Amino acid sequence: MSMSEKTVVWFRRDLRIDDNPALATAAKEGAVLPLFIWCPADYEQYYPGRCSRWWLKQSLTHLGKSLESLGCPLVLIHAKNSTLAALLECIHSTGATRVVYNCLYDPISLVHDNKIKNELSALGISVQSFNGDLLYKPWEVYDENGQAFTTFNMYWEKCMDLPIEISQSLAPVRLVPVPGIENIRGCSIDDLGLESSKDEESSNALLSRAWSPGWRNAENMLGEFVSYGLLEYSKHGMKVGGTTTSLLSPYLHFGELSVMKIYQLVKMHQVKWQNEGKSEAEESVRLFLRSIGFREYSRYLCFNFPFTHERSLLGNLKHYPWRSDEDSFKSWRQGMTGYPLVDAGMRELWATGWIHNRIRVIVSSFAVKFLQIPWIWGMKYFWDVLLDADLESDILGWQYISGSLPDGHELSRLDNPEVQGQKYDPDGEYIRTWIPELARMPTKWIHCPWDAPSSILEVAGVELGFNYPKPIVELHMARECLDDAISTMWQLDTAAKLAELDGEIVEDNMNNIRSFDIPKVVLKKELSPSTSSINLRMPYTSGQKKKLQPMEVKVPYKQIIRDDVMNASNMEDTGSIANSQMSRKRSSSDSASNGPLCSSSLIMHSQIHDRDSSLVLYSDYLQQKAGRNGAGKVEDNDSEDSGASISRPSKRAA
């Protein structure tokens, strides 16, 4: 490669200087044009929420200053309609001949990037992509049959057996800007429109008091956690109050930290502690690396099963009778369910854009199991409000909790919020922080105010049904409704399978009727000389070639959220609480999980020989969908809290 190369470095969610393979490669080979394009049209229904946009703005500002100090400005472009058009304009203005970028692995970005890469290549522009986001590329990890894993434990065990090439890209010490950079019609950070003046003056001011976005701040956070928090991570990681996790999740999402750098630093400390005889460090390191593994697995799952952002991985759940109850959904979002721990979590989420990963598990489980709200509604709401909103992690988390994954929660599992509260917030301080109505409730009754004597409620100033809601659903009713829903799902699933058999019922077929339908994707297959590589790129079902037809879930989500955001006065009462709470809060979705395994029946094969051919699946999938339309992250390792055995009604206030 000539040292006179002119390269566009296309930044997205890799907002860092250190260990950035795309930037490092471009810097070594000539002049560079660091470029960030904000094109709202690209996001469609996954337009980032307020907190996420605030973080992006701060991170871009930080990155821009760093690039300026290296001799090259960051060019910002607000593209109204097309990222591709903005890229081409920059290329023509500077005479650049190459575009480099770091890969993203969510279903939306994969299709989008592949389209842009093909368009640029067709115009004779060199395009090169790098892995700057993962330890293990999603097409390189497969089981003994060459198939993609569908359970985390087996996936992560295989990863731990694979070698990792510890090679970080050194940060450039100087950058040479491309000639003609002044001809580009860029814009200021404010012109991107990432936050409104109202947000900047009110809600976002709280975020700036608690968080410090930017890649250098991310490195400081990592060093602080590894030095002072990692050693006791296994001991304190489940406490829902205070700073007990790594708090690195938003930095990872925006690519301000390299996962390779995190892995290398943690392993170095692990060796150091082993030499010092600190045996307690082993479990903490294992759990933390496992949380990194969940992030890897979320990308792996989305890459190999690109439909998972809109339907369950397990095929049986397409028959699950979710309840599209807008009133229950609103009560859940506003923290008005009558279950204190759930309500505290949802109110903190609204006020701060962050909740501990254990609370994420509890509130999402309540939504899909107690209220039977479609998990996609919950996932989309998390995307809208979380500071560290991450599509792949949210998909994994919500599918896991709803029982949509082979190793997720059992469909019949019903966790008791009262028991969860007594375990994770035994003193009730977390609840008192976020539910001022219950601030004077004695600890004995803080998790079950409905059981408190009337005299206690009166002294505490609590009037159930007036200043704090009664439980939105009784435990025993939730149990009955969940059992009925599961029964209905299996009945519909069985009927559908029998219809497919067309009367040809044999014993082997009957054995598979009540098993979970787990898709199988072939990542590696020995090819015979006569096998066409083109055939490998087309999915087929049951031996018959057939294009993927993912089920589209249509729900009135946007309208529901729009109405709710416009009327959230009851959430503003927590503002003063958020001031004190956020001053000591940051974020992490560190996680650990042990889920049940399920039986499987082969319902789909997708043969993928390499990364480029796999992207054909995404292109086909997007085209099919367009034709129809007309256009923490989960951790959960304590099954003892399962409420699956709940059968008796709990005492409730009349």
Side-chain angles (χ1 to χ4, degrees), residues 221-237 244-246 248 262-271 273 280-292 590:
M221 287 286 294
L222 174 61
E224 180 181 336
F225 168 70
V226 172
S227 299
Y228 304 107
L230 179 58
L231 193 60
E232 297 186 335
Y233 180 76
S234 61
K235 183 189 301 183
H236 301 308
T244 59
T245 56
S246 74
L248 298 176
I262 295 175
Y263 181 85
Q264 184 176 22
L265 187 59
V266 169
K267 295 297 286 186
M268 287 172 59
H269 276 72
Q270 182 184 30
V271 172
W273 290 329
E280 68 275 15
E282 193 64 28
E283 180 64 8
S284 290
V285 169
R286 186 191 71 82
L287 286 176
F288 180 72
L289 290 181
R290 190 176 172 85
S291 74
I292 296 296
D590 309 326

Side-chain angles (χ1 to χ4, degrees), residues 294 357 361 393-394 396-398 400-401 589-593 632-636:
F294 270 103
N357 198 62
V361 171
S393 295
D394 287 344
L396 175 63
W398 281 92
Y400 181 92
I401 294 300
S589 294
D590 309 326
S591 50
S593 166
K633 307 157 183 162
V634 179
E635 65 180 33
D636 185 54

Side-chain angles (χ1 to χ4, degrees), residues 5 22 40-41 47 90 108 116 188 236 275 297 341 359 371 451 461 499 509 524 538 543 560 572 578 590 601:
E5 188 81 52
Y47 183 76
C90 292
I108 311 301
I116 288 179
S188 68
H236 301 308
N275 293 336
Y297 186 57
L341 188 63
I359 298 296
L371 305 180
D451 284 338
N509 289 333
K524 182 177 179 63
M538 301 303 298
I560 297 170
E572 295 174 358
D590 309 326
S601 60

Side-chain angles (χ1 to χ4, degrees), residues 560-576:
I560 297 170
I561 294 298
R562 188 182 304 115
D563 294 342
D564 188 44
V565 169
M566 296 300 293
N567 184 20
S569 58
N570 60 332
M571 292 292 98
E572 295 174 358
D573 294 338
T574 61
S576 60

Side-chain angles (χ1 to χ4, degrees), residues 147 519-522 538-543 602-607:
Q147 297 175 351
K520 296 185 182 299
V521 173
V522 179
M538 301 303 298
Y540 65 93
T541 305
S542 301
L602 183 62
I603 65 166
M604 179 182 73
H605 290 273
S606 298
Q607 292 185 322

Side-chain angles (χ1 to χ4, degrees), residues 125 151 433 460 488 535 540:
I125 299 167
T151 60
T433 299
T488 299
N535 291 337
Y540 65 93

